[in-house]
Every structure is written in structure tokens, then in C-alpha cells.
């Protein structure tokens, strides 16, 4: 659990993280990996993933000018193309 924390996501847009918890991500080989201390931010309509948090949880992230790939224990969790200046990871299997 966290104390309410202000975060800025978009230009001139601030949100308040109200709580935190763990999220389980199901990988393509059906192995479940846990992301710890994930923030719940009411009003944010997309799931945002912190690259530093992924690294702290033993994930590797590779960025190129065309897209990105998230790996853990030699398993590709997600591979996605770049849309504008964002890497949208719609195909991550997650279990809460």
C-alpha cells in the first residue's frame, strides 16, 4: 500500500496513485511472473509499465526505432511496434 502520490503522465495532466499491489503476467509459455508494487491510478484508462520496474523484476527490454520487446528468462512476454512516440503493449497477457 502506498500513500497517495501525484504522478504526471501527459502534458499538463496529473493523477493520484491511490494504492499499490502485485500484478501477475502470464507469459507465452504459461509461466506466471509477478510485478511487485504496481500502482493503481484511477482515471488512467491504459496500463502503463515502468521500464525500470520491469528491470527490477528481472525483465529485459529492447527498444529499436521500430518497436520494443520484453523478455524474461528467454521467453518473449511482448513484442510491439511503435505508434507515434509510444510503445503500446496491447498483447501482454496479464492476470490480476
Amino acid at each position: 500500500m502506498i500513500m497517495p502520490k501525484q504522478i504526471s503522465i501527459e502534458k499538463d495532466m496529473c493523477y493520484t496513485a491511490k494504492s499499490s499491489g502485485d500484478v501477475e503476467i502470464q507469459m507465452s509459455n504459461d509461466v506466471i511472473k509477478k510485478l511487485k508494487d504496481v500502482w493503481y491510478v484511477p482515471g488512467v484508462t491504459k496500463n502503463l509499465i515502468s521500464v525500470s520496474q520491469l528491470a527490477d523484476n528481472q525483465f529485459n527490454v529492447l527498444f529499436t526505432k521500430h518497436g520494443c520487446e520484453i523478455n524474461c528468462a528467454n521467453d518473449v512476454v511482448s513484442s510491439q511496434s511503435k505508434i507515434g512516440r509510444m510503445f503500446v503493449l496491447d498483447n501482454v497477457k496479464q492476470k490480476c
Side-chain angles (χ1 to χ4, degrees):
M1 199 65 128
I2 64 168
M3 295 296 291
K5 182 181 282 194
Q6 289 292 115
I7 60 170
S8 176
I9 297 173
E10 302 173 35
K11 189 185 273 187
D12 302 323
M13 297 292 289
C14 287
Y15 297 90
T16 302
K18 299 284 186 177
S19 63
S20 66
D22 296 341
V23 173
E24 293 180 339
I25 297 177
Q26 182 178 352
M27 304 203 299
S28 60
N29 65 357
D30 293 328
V31 170
I32 303 291
K33 293 293 287 184
K34 187 179 286 190
L35 285 179
K36 298 179 181 183
D37 198 28
V38 175
W39 296 352
Y40 169 64
V41 184
V44 175
T45 58
K46 298 285 185 186
N47 292 324
L48 304 174
I49 299 176
S50 163
V51 174
S52 64
Q53 188 172 15
L54 287 172
D56 290 345
N57 282 277
Q58 309 306 311
F59 289 86
N60 296 307
V61 184
L62 173 66
F63 291 97
T64 70
K65 65 180 181 178
H66 302 292
C68 68
E69 184 175 277
I70 301 173
N71 297 283
C72 185
N74 296 322
D75 184 34
V76 176
V77 177
S78 180
S79 181
Q80 195 61 269
S81 59
K82 185 176 170 185
I83 300 173
R85 296 183 51 84
M86 300 287 291
F87 296 91
V88 181
L89 305 174
D90 287 332
N91 63 340
V92 172
K93 298 177 188 174
Q94 69 179 3
K95 178 183 173 185
C96 297

